[in-house]
């Protein structure tokens, strides 16, 4: 079975890749002025990443939107001069050129649909949704999107300069074909919000509720899964795994550790482990591609190549590669270097959902089961 075969059914008809349009035909072309951006979701992540937009000389943070006044107020301290909104429809009806959607994952499908209808450039947080139905909504909306608008998801490894170099090394064939994959996200717990009314608990601490986040394999670990899909050029079609809640007592109902085996149609096996309970400062967030002639290990800190030399080749990344993703988005939107990343984001999100459903059920899950 060819590498392209797993894209059948769910991804049928989806277009991917970069499209470069002549500047004069790009509606709302911004090559000679700053790209105005509206932040939808002024939480920790949204506010932090919006700082990269503010740092870009060709972007301007023009609007802040959140359902909570305190979050808008906190964001306003960093982004003075931006207009404030409580309803995302008002932001989408405004004259901003682009929106950054940083709302909880369960809201990504409806918010993405609205942004597409408003014909804005879109930079959206991962994942594409928390269940197959939501992901399908994103895909269907993406198919109808204005082809003169850029759609980028915050899978920042795809834009990191050193990640792209590592990808080119693998695709060049100098290490031979990939024959086995291992990846992990092993780190400590996430910060818990406190001091809010009880009826706001699930929204304030949405990370910890599977109904809002999709569990941490979908919300966080989709980054590793996206890198593997990207480097292999396909997605796995089967998953089996285990997970539990060994340390996390509260809040919420998500897992705190898991281990999965993914299988690709060409026989490739991918072993994945993740947790949010590692102590003592230990952290391993990386992907290891074992190839016929060597091994390459990738992470946000750089990459290492092992191919028979006395010492491995080590390339170090010393900055947050999310800046690369933001800068690429701004430049692409302004100059007509467009992409519709929703389809790749959907595949990586579904890869996480397939693994989660196997863990929850205690049974192997297949890609076809996600289409039912």
């Amino acid at each position: 079975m060819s590498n392209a075969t797993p894209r059948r059914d769910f991804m049928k008809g989806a277009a991917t890749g970069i499209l470069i349009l002549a500047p004069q035909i790009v509606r709302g072309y911004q090559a000679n002025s700053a790209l105005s951006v509206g932040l939808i979701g002024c939480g920790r992540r949204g506010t932090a990443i919006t700082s990269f937009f503010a740092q870009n000389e060709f972007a301007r943070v023009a609007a802040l939107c959140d359902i909570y006044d305190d979050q808008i107020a906190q964001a306003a301290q960093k982004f003075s001069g931006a207009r404030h909104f409580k309803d995302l429809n008002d932001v989408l009806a405004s004259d901003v050129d682009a929106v950054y959607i940083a709302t909880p994952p369960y809201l990504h499908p409806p918010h993405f649909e609205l942004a597409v209808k408003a014909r804005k450039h879109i930079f959206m947080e991962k994942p594409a949704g928390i269940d197959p139905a939501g992901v399908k909504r994103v895909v269907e909306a993406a198919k109808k999107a204005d082809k003169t608008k850029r759609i980028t998801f915050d899978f920042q490894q795809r834009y990191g300069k050193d990640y792209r170099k590592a990808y080119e090394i693998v695709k060049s064939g100098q290490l031979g074909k990939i024959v086995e994959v291992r990846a992990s996200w092993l780190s400590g717990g996430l910060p818990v919000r406190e001091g809010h009314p009880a009826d706001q608990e699930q929204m304030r601490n949405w990370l910890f509720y599977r109904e809002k986040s999709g569990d941490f394999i979908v919300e966080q670990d989709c980054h590793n899964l996206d890198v593997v899909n990207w480097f292999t050029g396909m997605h796995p079609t089967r998953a089996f795994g285990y997970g539990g809640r060994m340390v996390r007592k509260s809040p919420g109902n998500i897992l705190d550790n898991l281990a999965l085996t993914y299988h690709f149609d060409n026989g490739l096996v991918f072993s994945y482990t993740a947790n949010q309970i590692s102590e003592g400062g230990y952290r391993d967030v990386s992907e290891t591609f074992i190839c016929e002639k060597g091994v390459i290990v990738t992470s946000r800190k750089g990459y290492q190549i092992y191919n028979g030399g006395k010492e491995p080749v080590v390339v170090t990344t010393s900055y947050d590669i999310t800046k690369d993703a933001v800068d690429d988005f701004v430049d692409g939107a302004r100059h007509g270097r467009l992409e519709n990343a929703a389809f790749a984001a959907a595949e990586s999100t579904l890869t996480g959902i397939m693994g989660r459903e196997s863990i929850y059920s205690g049974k192997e899950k297949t890609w076809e089961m996600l289409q039912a």
Side-chain angles (χ1 to χ4, degrees):
M1 190 172 293
S2 70
N3 288 359
T5 303
R7 295 178 180 264
R8 64 188 181 278
D9 299 329
F10 189 91
M11 303 306 295
K12 188 176 181 180
T16 58
I18 298 290
L19 173 66
I20 300 178
L21 299 181
Q24 62 268 26
I25 69 171
V26 177
R27 190 177 293 106
Y29 177 60
Q30 297 293 319
N32 297 315
S33 61
L35 188 79
S36 60
V37 181
L39 166 62
I40 300 174
C42 300
R44 285 182 296 239
R45 178 69 182 175
T47 302
I49 303 312
T50 299
S51 295
F52 290 125
F53 282 100
Q55 293 168 21
N56 188 303
E57 63 178 312
F58 301 111
R60 176 173 60 88
V61 181
L64 304 172
C65 179
D66 201 281
I67 61 174
Y68 297 123
D69 290 329
D70 61 299
Q71 297 208 151
I72 293 178
Q74 290 175 7
Q77 293 178 8
K78 299 185 67 173
F79 312 113
S80 60
R83 289 169 289 171
H84 301 171
F85 297 88
K86 296 291 289 292
D87 188 332
L88 84 160
N89 290 293
D90 293 334
V91 178
L92 295 173
S94 75
D95 60 355
V96 296
D97 303 309
V99 289
Y100 167 33
I101 300 173
T103 50
Y106 83 104
L107 292 173
H108 288 178
H111 289 179
F112 181 77
E113 288 173 335
L114 291 170
V116 167
K117 289 180 181 178
R119 301 171 76 178
K120 303 294 186 183
H121 297 291
I122 302 169
F123 188 92
M124 189 161 92
E125 273 304 325
K126 46 55 180 170
I130 66 169
D131 54 33
V135 175
K136 186 174 182 179
R137 288 178 67 178
V138 168
V139 169
E140 292 306 312
K143 290 177 182 177
K144 301 172 185 176
D146 184 340
K147 291 181 172 56
T148 69
K149 301 301 180 183
R150 174 153 175 149
I151 296 174
T152 297
F153 278 67
D154 193 16
F155 284 105
Q156 60 265 74
Q157 285 93 326
R158 288 185 181 246
Y159 306 92
K161 294 181 178 64
D162 291 329
Y163 257 103
R164 286 184 168 183
K165 291 176 185 176
Y167 171 80
E168 291 301 327
I169 291 169
V170 170
K171 300 310 291 184
S172 73
Q174 69 183 69
L175 297 176
K177 70 177 182 181
I178 299 170
V179 295
E180 187 179 11
V181 180
R182 185 192 76 84
S184 62
W185 191 303
L186 304 172
S187 62
L190 299 173
V192 178
R193 289 186 179 275
E194 298 177 340
H196 47 264
D199 62 356
Q200 296 179 9
E201 166 58 19
Q202 285 205 13
M203 283 299 287
R204 296 286 190 168
N205 279 315
W206 60 263
L207 284 164
F208 301 96
Y209 293 89
R210 61 180 64 169
E211 301 86 352
K212 297 291 190 288
S213 69
D215 216 319
F216 81 100
I217 185 174
V218 176
E219 194 281 324
Q220 176 178 272
D221 301 339
C222 60
H223 280 297
N224 296 123
L225 306 180
D226 184 64
V227 172
V228 174
N229 286 356
W230 174 32
F231 275 49
T232 61
M234 54 187 173
H235 60 69
T237 55
R238 295 178 180 274
F240 189 84
Y242 298 93
R245 195 171 163 97
M246 299 294 291
V247 174
R248 203 191 316 266
K249 303 302 180 185
S250 66
N253 56 7
I254 63 172
L255 305 169
D256 64 15
N257 74 98
L258 58 88
L260 281 159
T261 298
Y262 285 102
H263 187 268
F264 293 80
D265 271 350
N266 69 349
L268 184 67
V269 173
F270 165 29
S271 175
Y272 188 71
T273 55
N275 71 37
Q276 292 184 340
I277 58 178
S278 294
E279 294 292 343
Y282 177 77
R283 181 179 174 88
D284 180 8
V285 181
S286 65
E287 305 84 28
T288 301
F289 297 94
I290 300 170
C291 305
E292 294 172 305
K293 303 175 184 178
V295 174
I296 186 166
V297 181
T298 55
S299 77
R300 300 181 194 204
K301 295 182 178 180
Y303 63 87
Q304 303 87 46
I305 301 174
Y306 303 81
N307 64 345
K310 292 183 179 180
E311 297 292 337
V313 175
V314 177
V315 173
T316 301
T317 305
S318 57
Y319 64 96
D320 186 341
I321 61 175
T322 308
K323 185 178 188 303
D324 289 335
V326 170
D327 289 348
D328 198 75
F329 172 78
V330 172
D331 182 76
R334 293 180 67 247
H335 292 97
R337 187 171 51 81
L338 307 178
E339 67 173 354
N340 190 333
F343 307 111
E347 284 189 307
S348 297
T349 300
L350 284 173
T351 301
I353 291 171
M354 181 168 63
R356 180 195 69 197
E357 292 305 299
S358 174
I359 293 170
Y360 284 1
S361 67
K363 299 178 181 179
E364 182 182 70
K365 293 295 179 178
T366 68
W367 193 261
E368 285 73 15
M369 289 177 180
L370 301 180
Q371 320 308 318

